[in-house]
Amino acid sequence: MTRLTRADLEKLPNYVPGRSPADLARELGIPEAIKLASNEVPYGPLPGVVEAVTEAATNAHRYPDMGVVALRHRLAELYEVDPDNVATGCGSVALAEILVKATCLPGDEVVFAWRSFEAYPIITATAGATSVMVPNTPEHGHDLEAMLAAITPKTRLMFVCNPNNPTGTFLREAELTAFLDRVPADVLVVLDEAYKEFVTDPEVPDALVTYGDRPNVVVLRTLSKAWGLAALRIGWLHASAEVAGAIRKCVTPFSTSAAAQAGAMAALAQADEMRRRVDLVIAERGRVTEGLRALGVDVPDSQANFVWLPLGDRSLPFAQACEQQGVIVRPFQGHGVRITIGTPAENDAMLTAAEKAL
Ligand SMILES: Cc1ncc(COP(=O)(O)O)c(C=O)c1O
């Protein structure tokens, strides 16, 4: 048979999204499953978002603003940065992909911790670059010393996910600064802060504030999580003007849709409500962590909106047993299970299911 696509893609894993209540309804006949599998915030869109998106839909026959000017300026104002240093994309995962494309030629290397965000090896491979995956410490966090040792003349980019998905572990300022000081100036470090809004430890840095002036640091943020816009697909980054300009050049034209731009503007006007909702999640994070530890699981402290159960080979059976009880969690077979923090009632249901599943 004639091959029409790249042979190396056969070895590449598919991105596995969290299973949905519709999946459980179809496969198990469970009508209203609780979804704690994709690190979403459970309280619906922020006030004003639905109206803004509806209004944007009246112009659905027109292209959106390709320069994303209003939103970039709004983000710049909110985070006290220069709009020229900001770029937006179709989710921060698209920006991560474009960062690899903009830095790597075939054979170049991308270093990241493993386990970390499951898209990193996929976007690295599709860009034609090579993943260098550095095992996490026994405490499930980044092994920064080993990551530094993994840098070679071919290294072009490093992902550092803080807090880390899926383990919830985090890096404090002293160790991260010491690490960044030792990364060669021609290697781009992408600090992926998708879960920044859930951080409460005062020693975990805000990379925009602490490292925003470093030419080889990119800060990646998303509106999918705390800001509740996962379906609209909008992420943004802060980088040097050179890097941000290169990203704007490489980004798929018009990929920040008009609905995403309008929804994001409306959401950003609700910072207080966002914070109130995030604080609810943070309060539940402590309770869920303690509840799971009481069941005998060695859950590491999390600074994100999810917790990590290092169950190894028991991960898939555990997730399947939870699903039988109408609770969807996210297994990474052989490693662990990631459970998103939901509403108090959802978390209670999850703890009951987990007790039975264990
Ligand atoms: C660490 C991390 N980075 C980036 C993303 C991508 O988010 P989005 O593309 O929705 O902005 C995710 C999503 O789960 C994530 O966990």
Side-chain angles (χ1 to χ4, degrees), residues 15 38-39 90-94 117 120 161 163 165 192 194-195 220-225 230 233-235 338:
Y15 186 93
S38 298
N39 299 343
C90 182
S92 58
V93 69
F117 181 32
Y120 295 156
C161 189
N165 174 11
D192 185 341
Y195 302 96
L220 199 55
R221 296 279 181 97
T222 181
L223 298 187
S224 296
K225 310 295 180 181
R233 313 302 307 126
I234 180 142
R338 189 191 67 200

Coordinates of all heavy atoms in Angstrom, one line a residue, residues 15 38-39 90-94 117 120 161 163 165 192 194-195 220-225 230 233-235 338, ligand 1:
Y15 N -3.1 11.8 21.9 CA -3.5 12.6 23.1 C -4.8 12.0 23.6 O -5.7 11.7 22.9 CB -3.8 14.0 22.7 CG -4.0 14.9 23.9 CD1 -3.0 15.6 24.5 CD2 -5.3 15.1 24.4 CE1 -3.2 16.4 25.6 CE2 -5.6 15.9 25.5 CZ -4.5 16.6 26.1 OH -4.8 17.4 27.2
S38 N -10.5 16.4 33.7 CA -9.8 17.3 32.7 C -9.4 18.6 33.3 O -9.1 19.6 32.6 CB -10.7 17.5 31.5 OG -10.9 16.3 30.8
N39 N -9.4 18.7 34.6 CA -8.9 19.9 35.3 C -9.7 21.1 35.0 O -9.1 22.2 34.9 CB -7.4 20.1 35.1 CG -6.6 18.9 35.6 OD1 -7.0 18.1 36.4 ND2 -5.3 18.8 35.1
C90 N -4.8 29.2 20.0 CA -5.9 28.3 20.1 C -5.7 27.3 21.3 O -5.4 26.2 21.0 CB -6.2 27.6 18.8 SG -7.6 26.6 18.8
G91 N -5.7 27.9 22.5 CA -5.3 27.1 23.6 C -3.8 27.2 23.8 O -3.1 27.5 22.9
S92 N -3.4 27.1 25.1 CA -1.9 27.2 25.3 C -1.2 26.0 24.7 O 0.0 26.1 24.4 CB -1.6 27.4 26.8 OG -2.1 26.3 27.5
V93 N -1.9 24.9 24.5 CA -1.3 23.8 23.9 C -0.8 24.1 22.5 O 0.2 23.7 22.0 CB -2.2 22.5 23.9 CG1 -3.4 22.6 23.0 CG2 -1.4 21.3 23.6
A94 N -1.6 24.9 21.7 CA -1.2 25.3 20.4 C 0.0 26.2 20.5 O 0.9 26.1 19.6 CB -2.4 26.1 19.7
F117 N 3.0 17.3 31.3 CA 1.8 17.4 30.4 C 1.9 16.5 29.2 O 3.0 16.5 28.5 CB 1.7 18.9 30.0 CG 0.5 19.2 29.1 CD1 -0.7 18.5 29.2 CD2 0.6 20.2 28.2 CE1 -1.8 18.8 28.4 CE2 -0.5 20.5 27.4 CZ -1.7 19.8 27.5
Y120 N 3.4 17.3 25.6 CA 4.7 17.7 25.2 C 5.4 16.7 24.3 O 6.0 17.2 23.2 CB 5.6 17.8 26.5 CG 5.2 19.0 27.5 CD1 5.6 18.9 28.8 CD2 4.5 20.1 27.1 CE1 5.2 19.9 29.7 CE2 4.2 21.1 27.9 CZ 4.5 21.0 29.3 OH 4.2 21.9 30.2
C161 N 6.9 22.7 33.8 CA 5.5 22.8 34.1 C 5.3 23.1 35.6 O 5.6 22.2 36.4 CB 4.8 21.6 33.7 SG 3.0 21.7 33.7
P163 N 2.6 24.7 38.6 CA 2.7 23.3 39.1 C 2.6 22.3 38.0 O 2.1 22.6 36.9 CB 1.4 23.2 40.0 CG 1.0 24.6 40.2 CD 1.4 25.4 39.1
N165 N 1.5 19.2 35.8 CA 0.4 18.3 35.4 C 1.1 17.0 35.0 O 1.9 17.1 34.1 CB -0.4 19.0 34.3 CG -1.5 18.0 33.7 OD1 -1.8 17.0 34.3 ND2 -2.0 18.4 32.6
D192 N 5.5 26.7 31.9 CA 4.0 26.4 31.7 C 3.3 26.6 33.0 O 3.4 25.8 33.9 CB 3.9 25.0 31.1 CG 2.4 24.7 30.6 OD1 1.5 25.5 31.1 OD2 2.3 23.8 29.9
A194 N -0.1 26.8 33.5 CA -1.5 26.7 33.2 C -2.4 26.7 34.5 O -3.6 27.1 34.5 CB -1.8 25.3 32.5
Y195 N -1.8 26.4 35.7 CA -2.5 26.3 36.9 C -2.1 27.4 37.9 O -2.3 27.2 39.1 CB -2.3 24.9 37.5 CG -2.8 23.8 36.5 CD1 -1.9 23.2 35.7 CD2 -4.2 23.6 36.4 CE1 -2.4 22.3 34.7 CE2 -4.6 22.7 35.5 CZ -3.7 22.0 34.6 OH -4.2 21.1 33.7
L220 N 3.9 30.7 29.8 CA 2.7 30.2 29.1 C 1.5 30.2 30.1 O 1.6 29.6 31.2 CB 3.0 28.8 28.6 CG 2.2 28.2 27.5 CD1 2.1 29.0 26.3 CD2 2.8 26.8 27.1
R221 N 0.4 30.8 29.7 CA -0.8 30.8 30.5 C -2.0 30.4 29.7 O -2.0 30.4 28.5 CB -1.1 32.2 31.0 CG 0.0 32.8 32.0 CD -0.2 32.2 33.4 NE 0.8 32.8 34.3 CZ 0.7 33.8 35.1 NH1 -0.5 34.5 35.1 NH2 1.6 34.2 35.9
T222 N -3.1 30.0 30.4 CA -4.3 29.6 29.7 C -5.5 30.2 30.4 O -5.5 30.5 31.6 CB -4.4 28.1 29.6 OG1 -5.6 27.8 28.9 CG2 -4.5 27.5 31.0
L223 N -6.6 30.4 29.6 CA -7.9 30.8 30.1 C -8.8 29.6 30.3 O -10.0 29.8 30.6 CB -8.5 31.9 29.3 CG -7.7 33.2 29.1 CD1 -8.6 34.3 28.4 CD2 -7.3 33.8 30.5
S224 N -8.3 28.4 30.0 CA -9.1 27.2 30.1 C -9.4 26.7 31.5 O -10.5 26.1 31.7 CB -8.4 26.0 29.4 OG -8.2 26.3 28.0
K225 N -8.6 27.0 32.4 CA -8.7 26.4 33.8 C -9.4 27.4 34.7 O -10.6 27.4 34.8 CB -7.3 26.0 34.3 CG -6.5 25.2 33.3 CD -7.1 23.9 33.0 CE -6.3 23.1 31.9 NZ -6.8 21.8 31.6
A230 N -12.4 26.6 28.8 CA -11.8 25.5 28.1 C -12.3 25.2 26.7 O -11.5 25.0 25.8 CB -11.9 24.2 28.9
R233 N -11.0 27.7 23.8 CA -9.6 27.5 23.3 C -8.9 28.8 23.2 O -8.7 29.4 22.1 CB -9.6 26.8 21.9 CG -10.5 25.6 21.8 CD -10.2 24.5 22.8 NE -8.8 24.1 22.8 CZ -8.0 24.2 23.9 NH1 -8.5 24.5 25.1 NH2 -6.7 23.8 23.8
I234 N -8.4 29.2 24.3 CA -7.6 30.4 24.3 C -6.5 30.4 25.4 O -6.8 30.2 26.5 CB -8.5 31.7 24.4 CG1 -7.6 32.9 24.4 CG2 -9.4 31.7 25.6 CD1 -8.2 34.1 23.7
G235 N -5.3 30.5 24.9 CA -4.1 30.6 25.7 C -3.3 31.8 25.3 O -3.5 32.4 24.3
R338 N -4.9 11.0 38.1 CA -5.1 12.4 38.4 C -6.6 12.7 38.6 O -7.4 12.2 37.8 CB -4.6 13.2 37.2 CG -4.5 14.7 37.5 CD -4.2 15.5 36.2 NE -5.4 15.4 35.3 CZ -5.3 15.5 34.0 NH1 -4.2 15.9 33.4 NH2 -6.4 15.4 33.2
Ligands
LIG1 C1 0.3 22.0 31.9 C2 -0.7 22.3 30.8 N1 -0.3 23.2 29.9 C3 -1.2 23.5 28.9 C4 -2.4 22.9 28.8 C5 -3.3 23.3 27.6 O1 -4.4 24.0 28.0 P1 -5.2 24.7 26.9 O2 -4.7 24.3 25.5 O3 -6.6 24.4 27.1 O4 -4.9 26.2 27.1 C6 -2.8 22.0 29.8 C7 -4.2 21.4 29.7 O5 -4.5 20.5 30.4 C8 -2.0 21.7 30.8 O6 -2.3 20.9 31.8

